Amino acid sequence: MGNPAQFSLHESPARHSDIRRSDVDHELKMISVMDQFMRQAPQFITHEEIEAHLYSMPTRYWEGLTEQNLNYHLRLINSFFESLVTSNAEVPPPTVQSRHFEDEGYTEVIVASWDRMGLFAKIAGAFACADINIKRAFIYTRADHVVLDVFHVTAPTGGHVHDESCLIHMKELLAECLDGRADLDLEKLMVEKLKKRGYPTSRFRPTGPAAPVISWDNQKSAEETILKIECDDSLGLLYAILQELSDQSVDVHMANIDTVRNTALDVFYITDKFHKKITHQDRLREVQNSLIRKLSSRGH
């Protein structure tokens, strides 16, 4: 069977002057935001914690960051470290907090945890099982391996997640997924739970004959390779994509998730396991073919 997907790759030489200018802008942004924050930082957050955050977060974290969001993020990470001390669990659960942006039509959910392979996929699976849709995701990993993942999510009918029980269920599922003793089949759980609610089985698997369309872009981002996937939408699709990327030792740093007329239009900013762009065409084809096999098998 031939490869049904479209393949395109854009490459250009690195623009060293632009990168140097970007580094300077990044440094100035960090200094400005952190200087404002330190003047009124909560007493329980030490200067050591602040400096660790300052120098260990990736460059793109500081783009558009406000003092208010920095305060919120540092408090969350502080809570995560406190849980490591107070928790009796063999594997301490992640710290998860949410807040609603009703006017913007979404709920923001932030997860703080230790980094581990497949974490993003497990989070996506927990959201899907709780019937929560991810619209955007920002994945940040500090140099000390603390993960701060920011998700913009919606209810199945759109708008913010007004049912708090769904958010609680997501937190419980995620904690169970990350517990070393647990072995959940998230995709099976998605199907079982929604069948009980009377959803049609067509929601579980793509029903249309359209082949996935995959394209790559190594020009628009200086630090990541951009992966674009267009395919039939289905419950658990994002989880399946992320799990396959994890199996291929690919790290996802940011994702834009959209659906138009039952077609998923997903964009991922990715690197290899060494946090380098993926530029070799043989490697790109290898990742692409694995995704095609995974997505095609979901239709049967």
Side-chain angles (χ1 to χ4, degrees):
M1 178 177 173
N3 188 345
Q6 297 179 11
F7 181 91
S8 63
L9 173 64
H10 308 283
E11 294 189 39
S12 67
R15 295 169 294 183
H16 298 291
S17 60
D18 288 348
I19 293 175
R20 284 196 296 268
R21 184 166 59 250
S22 174
D23 289 342
V24 173
D25 292 342
H26 161 59
E27 191 76 19
L28 291 174
K29 175 67 175 178
M30 282 199 311
I31 293 172
S32 174
V33 174
M34 294 300 286
D35 181 59
Q36 295 177 38
F37 178 76
M38 281 186 170
R39 295 176 185 176
Q40 48 187 343
Q43 291 185 351
F44 61 85
I45 298 181
T46 67
H47 277 214
E48 287 77 12
E49 287 183 85
I50 297 172
E51 289 183 359
H53 197 70
L54 170 64
Y55 292 110
S56 62
M57 286 298 273
T59 301
R60 57 193 167 75
Y61 171 76
W62 301 94
E63 298 172 0
L65 181 70
T66 64
E67 182 186 345
Q68 179 182 11
N69 283 338
L70 177 61
N71 189 334
Y72 189 71
H73 295 168
L74 282 170
R75 287 173 179 268
L76 179 61
I77 292 174
N78 181 268
S79 296
F80 170 64
F81 281 129
E82 283 190 355
S83 72
L84 298 179
V85 177
T86 59
S87 175
N88 294 322
E90 184 176 336
V91 180
T95 297
V96 183
Q97 291 184 5
S98 60
R99 52 183 179 174
H100 303 296
F101 294 85
E102 297 184 27
D103 292 341
E104 288 81 0
Y106 68 88
T107 294
E108 180 186 75
V109 178
I110 305 183
V111 179
S113 177
W114 289 122
D115 190 20
R116 66 198 79 187
M117 186 60 70
L119 175 62
F120 189 5
K122 289 182 173 62
I123 295 173
F127 274 124
C129 287
D131 219 10
I132 297 173
N133 297 327
I134 299 175
K135 305 305 292 183
R136 298 193 77 190
F138 304 89
I139 311 304
Y140 304 115
T141 303
R142 300 197 331 183
D144 58 0
H145 304 294
V146 172
V147 166
L148 186 74
D149 291 349
V150 182
F151 299 90
H152 293 178
V153 302
T154 64
T157 55
H160 74 284
V161 183
H162 56 273
D163 188 347
E164 291 293 332
S165 66
C166 291
L167 294 169
I168 294 173
H169 186 42
M170 176 269 170
K171 295 177 185 179
E172 293 172 344
L173 282 172
L174 181 58
E176 189 173 352
C177 285
L178 299 181
D179 187 329
R181 297 165 296 176
D183 186 22
L184 286 181
D185 185 338
L186 286 172
E187 192 161 7
K188 181 179 179 181
L189 186 59
M190 294 174 211
V191 176
E192 291 176 348
K193 284 182 174 293
L194 291 178
K195 277 183 177 178
K196 289 180 181 179
R197 300 178 192 176
Y199 283 85
T201 55
S202 60
R203 191 181 176 194
F204 307 144
R205 293 288 186 267
T207 56
V213 177
I214 294 179
S215 62
W216 304 91
D217 190 332
N218 266 315
Q219 182 177 7
K220 290 183 180 178
S221 172
E223 298 179 343
E224 295 106 2
T225 294
I226 300 175
L227 163 64
K228 298 180 181 179
I229 300 178
E230 178 179 341
C231 64
D232 292 330
D233 191 26
S234 66
L235 179 70
L237 172 66
L238 179 60
Y239 170 72
I241 292 172
L242 294 172
Q243 189 61 57
E244 190 62 30
L245 290 175
S246 175
D247 290 345
Q248 287 291 319
S249 298
V250 171
D251 281 344
V252 178
H253 299 273
M254 186 170 73
N256 289 324
I257 313 302
D258 197 9
T259 304
V260 178
R261 297 190 182 92
N262 297 319
T263 298
L265 305 171
D266 298 344
V267 180
F268 304 91
Y269 289 71
I270 66 174
T271 64
D272 62 19
K273 61 182 179 181
F274 302 108
H275 304 296
K276 303 294 184 183
K277 294 176 70 171
I278 304 172
T279 58
H280 199 288
Q281 291 201 26
D282 287 345
R283 177 58 175 147
L284 291 170
R285 289 193 178 94
E286 180 183 7
V287 174
Q288 173 183 297
N289 289 338
S290 71
L291 287 168
I292 292 298
R293 287 192 295 270
K294 181 69 172 183
L295 297 178
S296 298
S297 68
R298 288 173 55 80
H300 302 291

